[in-house]
Amino acid sequence: MARKIPWGKILEVAGAGRDAREGGSEAVRVWVRISSGAPRGLVLAIKEALVAREATGIVDVRPVDAPAPDGVAPDALVIVCGEQTAAEAALARDAARRAVPVALVAESAVEVPDVELPEEALPFLEVLACADALALVPRLGTWLVGATDKGLALAANFPFCRPAEVDSLVRRCAMENAAVGAVTLIPGSDMAVMTANQAKLALDIAVAYGRGLDPSRALELAGVVGAGFGYRALARAVSRVIPGLGWAFKGAMGYAGTVATARALQVRFDFEDGSLRPHGEEISRQAPARHLELPKRSGEHAHKQEDGRHARAGHASALPYVVLCPDGSVGRGE
């Protein structure tokens, strides 16, 4: 008898693609507040990483004691600690009490101010102590994805957030497929469920890498379906050889097959982006060097340029904050 086409699962995958697209296009706001005397290496690493690829990624960089924008709440707040411990603690305390995730960044834990919080606000405060600026960036990405509910939007905008978000997606889907493979109430039903899960995962990964859901995704989904049939055939063959442990092998194959398929997609996207590192760990499309100046406080003056040219008469007052724009440029404001 001919096998029925699982239209329900096909519609489910289509709906998942729409949800993934909406999740990846959500607006995500990250505030960075820099204390005077903050380690320059950490500041520059954070500002390089937080250059959004899409217009939906909004990054606001200001001194720690600058007034906040009216009527706007961030999805996450990053405070780079320095000498203004009182201002740092007050800002972190206010944000955590309003359920805004806050990360206090410093070279060591002893440089982080004490922040007194009620018990219900403690989960919103995290300390990222790291002396190595390069090691800080992946830790920051893991924290951002875990602390907010906008993992897809973060990954689509900021490449350094992709490893954490994709790993979370793969782990969740692999565990579900392992359970489906191990416990099958209706013979043959596991194939449709597991393949649909893998197809939804493929769409999520595409969105996390900033890919649109265009017709080229159909070829990827076809590859996912073909891989699913291959894993299923292998699991069925082994379960005949070992009848008593067939359920365990099916579960293991469901997990391993999901992970292998997802990693293959990641490698493809990494090479398309020009990255030779797996899982998108490279921070690409960095901000040009001219955009990596620390925001200066009002009243400070411009120095002479290094090439020997003299500054114009008088002293130019520095702007109190900068905003990194999606195209890599800097928006300035008073």
Side-chain angles (χ1 to χ4, degrees), residues 78-293:
V78 179
I79 302 175
V80 189
C81 300
E83 301 170 352
Q84 299 172 273
T85 56
E88 296 160 11
L91 183 60
R93 182 168 50 250
D94 178 65
R97 285 177 174 174
R98 292 186 290 117
V100 175
V102 184
L104 294 172
V105 177
E107 289 185 334
S108 67
V110 298
E111 299 173 1
V112 175
D114 292 330
V115 182
E116 297 181 1
L117 288 173
E119 186 175 355
E120 62 272 14
L122 289 176
F124 296 99
L125 183 65
E126 183 75 15
V127 174
L128 298 180
C130 188
D132 185 354
L134 293 180
L136 169 66
V137 173
R139 290 184 59 187
L140 180 62
T142 300
W143 173 76
L144 282 170
V145 170
T148 69
D149 59 352
K150 294 186 176 181
L152 276 179
L154 285 165
N157 277 283
F158 309 111
F160 76 99
C161 290
R162 287 172 185 165
E165 173 63 10
V166 173
D167 285 350
S168 176
L169 292 170
V170 172
R171 184 166 54 250
R172 184 166 58 247
C173 183
M175 291 297 294
E176 184 175 342
N177 277 355
V180 171
V183 183
T184 305
L185 300 178
I186 303 175
S189 62
D190 58 337
M191 178 61 197
V193 175
M194 294 169 66
T195 302
N197 286 343
Q198 291 183 3
K200 290 186 286 185
L201 175 62
L203 294 175
D204 285 339
I205 293 175
V207 170
Y209 272 82
R211 281 7 182 229
L213 300 183
D214 50 50
S216 66
R217 299 284 84 81
L219 296 176
E220 294 168 6
L221 294 180
V224 169
V225 173
F229 275 107
Y231 298 140
R232 169 64 178 171
L234 178 59
R236 189 182 307 171
V238 173
S239 64
R240 294 196 190 101
V241 178
I242 315 175
L245 297 178
W247 62 273
F249 188 83
K250 288 180 180 179
M253 184 56 67
Y255 187 96
T258 300
V259 172
T261 301
R263 297 311 183 203
L265 288 174
Q266 284 185 270
V267 169
R268 172 186 169 182
F269 290 146
D270 285 338
F271 274 100
E272 287 180 356
D273 284 347
S275 171
L276 298 180
R277 300 181 185 180
H279 315 322
E281 294 174 0
E282 178 179 278
I283 306 171
S284 56
R285 298 188 185 179
Q286 302 286 10
R290 67 179 185 277
H291 296 156
L292 301 182
E293 299 177 357

